[in-house]
Amino acid sequence: MTGPSPQSPTVLISGCSSGIGRAAALRMAARSWRVLAGVRTAQAAAELAAASPNITPIMLDVTSPADLVAATELVTRLTAGRGLDALVNNAGICTAGPLELVPLEAWRTQLEVNVLGVVALTQAMLPLLRQAGARLATAGGSPATARIINISSISGRAALPMLGPYAASKFALGAITHALRQEVAPHHIRVCLLEPGSFDTAIWNKSTAAADALAAAADPAARAAYQPLITAVKTKIAHAAATARPLEPLIDHIERCLTAPRPPARIVVGTSSRITALAWSILPTAWTDWAIARQLR
Ligand SMILES: NC(=O)c1ccc[n+]([C@@H]2O[C@H](COP(=O)([O-])OP(=O)(O)OC[C@H]3O[C@@H](n4cnc5c(N)ncnc54)[C@H](OP(=O)(O)O)[C@@H]3O)[C@@H](O)[C@H]2O)c1
């Protein structure tokens, strides 16, 4: 097995142990990109390293300043003066529960990973992305720009009950992405925001288990007050998980954002998600509240 050539474009993807990050890492490695795959365990690193010679695992908890420093040094060394062609901010968690039952610490963790983790990793990599952007712009090839892809969610357009913490993180990510896109355009860096609906990954089971633990630890009277809502939303989430689509179309969009000469600034992935995004942007709030309450009956 040979590794990537020195001319291969390089992408750093956070959160590659499972789900979207892992599938995107395997796809881009199969396209002969050098993939620097962020993971948090030695086991995930070993599995990815064994999967392709084009994948180099990097220990990267996006909330760890020490990991960010070490990752920046490693990426600088591995890209050897060429800079980083692309960054995919994928790592994320989903904290669910009624606002009253989610402790502040859990709110902080949600925002620390999904918002400040993205900010911190992007800050760390921007000098290398600007370096690659300058190289690509003068090389005359295609694409002629470096890339940042932020994985948001339809929850960044529509906030459902019990998903306040997660939706807050993804609404914030949308705002950050729109500002960033305009800031780095002069530096030959394009920024894409992907807003997927439900795709088949471990995030559903992880967030349901975490929500159950938060509810179990809550004050019993407060928990009882929200029990009908919790039961209804859990049923909806179980349905969404059971009908979640395979990852391939979403990974196609990530590949397109990485390779197309002019990728879209924002893609809502999935037909039902596009309908949701449109409904939330044009309908009166009372109507969307009514529709959601009806679905949760
Ligand atoms: N699946 C969907 O339907 C869906 C829909 C919309 C948006 N998304 C978004 O897609 C992204 C990936 O989620 P997924 O569905 O693929 O779920 P997943 O399989 O649970 O993957 C999440 C990844 O993020 C990593 N991660 C969690 N906390 C981290 C931290 N502090 N630092 C670095 N990595 C961390 C996890 O690593 P560990 O294994 O070490 O915990 C894992 O590799 C998330 O941003 C999510 O919000 C998913």
Side-chain angles (χ1 to χ4, degrees), residues 2-10 29 31-35 53-54 78-79 82 85:
T2 57
S5 88
Q7 311 309 320
S8 300
T10 303
R31 297 286 185 264
S32 300
W33 280 50
R34 176 201 285 268
V35 179
N54 291 347
L78 290 173
T79 55
R82 293 174 56 81
D85 295 83

Side-chain angles (χ1 to χ4, degrees), residues 9 33 82 84-86 128-148 184-191 256-263:
W33 280 50
R82 293 174 56 81
L84 179 65
D85 295 83
L128 292 166
L129 288 159
R130 281 191 286 104
Q131 189 178 21
R135 171 176 53 78
L136 291 165
T138 51
S142 176
T145 48
R147 301 287 150 95
I148 297 172
V184 300
H187 302 292
H188 313 290
I189 302 170
R190 282 187 182 259
V191 182
R256 183 169 150 228
C257 288
L258 287 170
T259 57
R262 291 181 167 274

